[in-house]
Amino acid sequence: MTTHLDLSSLSRRSAIKGWFATGAAIIGHTILAPAAHASDTTLPATPACGEDIGPTRSMTEGPFYSQNPPEKRNFRTDTDGSPVTLIGYVLSTTCTPITNAIVDLWHADANGRYDNQGFSMRGYQRTDAQGRYYFDTIRPAEYAGRTPHYHIKITPPNGPTLTTQLYFPEEPRNELDHLFDSALLMNMRPASDGEIGRFDFVLA
């Protein structure tokens, strides 16, 4: 029988430390487990690698992207807001981890505003040898016409860039947003000091 860990008893820092230290072994079949260990209780990322529905869907870049963002994983020092740690894998359609892929994240702040002068709520990192990435950030607010969302660009070492957006489950504005795509919903779980969000990107 599999024991499912209640992540609400863990801080985001403790969960990430364990995830990187053990490759998710200490947390079993939870939101932090590798894609190969997913079950109906972990809500694996959509689309999952190896399935017939294809790679992660692309979406518009939007008007607020800034070129040449800094290498940064901690957005929490940029502004106040409800803490979210965003984690996941970058994988091929055959479930092979993609190492050294650039994961470029940008989004609005807790008031629904983008920093178009500097690089608040903007930055990139590279996946590790197991294809993993994570960011410490906040939950963005909705703004005119848009439900809360993250913007992401994924650039593998040898391949085209995937530009897409990620959405939060159970947001009232989701169905009112003409760009919303349920295939890009993150798996969200509470932690003792915020939330942990999971999405695995599958590249063609």
Side-chain angles (χ1 to χ4, degrees):
M1 179 177 179
T2 301
T3 300
H4 297 284
L5 183 66
D6 179 7
L7 289 179
S8 64
S9 65
L10 284 177
S11 69
R12 293 173 300 113
R13 181 186 296 268
S14 295
I16 290 298
K17 183 178 179 181
W19 187 52
F20 274 101
T22 67
I26 67 167
I27 42 187
H29 295 238
T30 72
I31 186 176
L32 301 178
H37 297 164
S39 72
D40 58 353
T41 61
T42 63
L43 297 177
T46 48
C49 62
E51 293 187 355
D52 294 334
I53 55 178
T56 302
R57 296 178 186 175
S58 64
M59 291 204 72
T60 177
E61 177 183 283
F64 301 118
Y65 182 66
S66 293
Q67 298 287 342
N68 302 313
E71 185 172 1
K72 181 174 70 175
R73 83 167 72 245
N74 184 8
F75 293 11
R76 294 277 299 130
T77 59
D78 292 344
T79 188
D80 294 330
S82 178
V84 174
T85 294
L86 174 62
I87 67 167
Y89 291 79
V90 177
L91 306 164
S92 72
T93 53
T94 59
C95 303
T96 302
I98 299 177
T99 301
N100 208 35
I102 295 173
V103 183
D104 185 351
L105 174 70
W106 74 101
H107 60 83
D109 64 17
N111 296 307
R113 294 191 295 259
Y114 287 86
D115 175 14
N116 297 314
Q117 306 301 318
F119 291 101
S120 178
M121 303 286 103
R122 301 175 185 273
Y124 78 90
Q125 60 176 274
R126 296 178 185 271
T127 55
D128 69 5
Q130 296 185 47
R132 297 175 296 191
Y133 72 90
Y134 84 92
F135 292 90
D136 278 319
T137 188
I138 64 165
R139 181 183 274 255
E142 63 183 50
Y143 56 90
R146 295 305 318 273
T147 194
H149 60 281
Y150 293 134
H151 291 269
I152 300 260
K153 287 179 180 285
I154 311 288
T155 305
N158 297 296
T161 296
L162 167 70
T163 300
T164 193
Q165 299 179 28
L166 300 181
Y167 297 97
F168 294 83
E170 300 179 1
E171 278 287 340
R173 290 291 301 274
N174 281 350
E175 299 301 330
L176 301 176
D177 187 328
H178 71 289
L179 292 176
F180 171 72
D181 187 337
S182 61
L184 298 171
L185 283 168
M186 292 175 286
N187 177 12
M188 302 298 298
R189 290 290 186 273
S192 65
D193 55 352
E195 298 175 279
I196 298 174
R198 165 80 179 270
F199 196 91
D200 296 342
F201 295 94
V202 181
L203 304 187

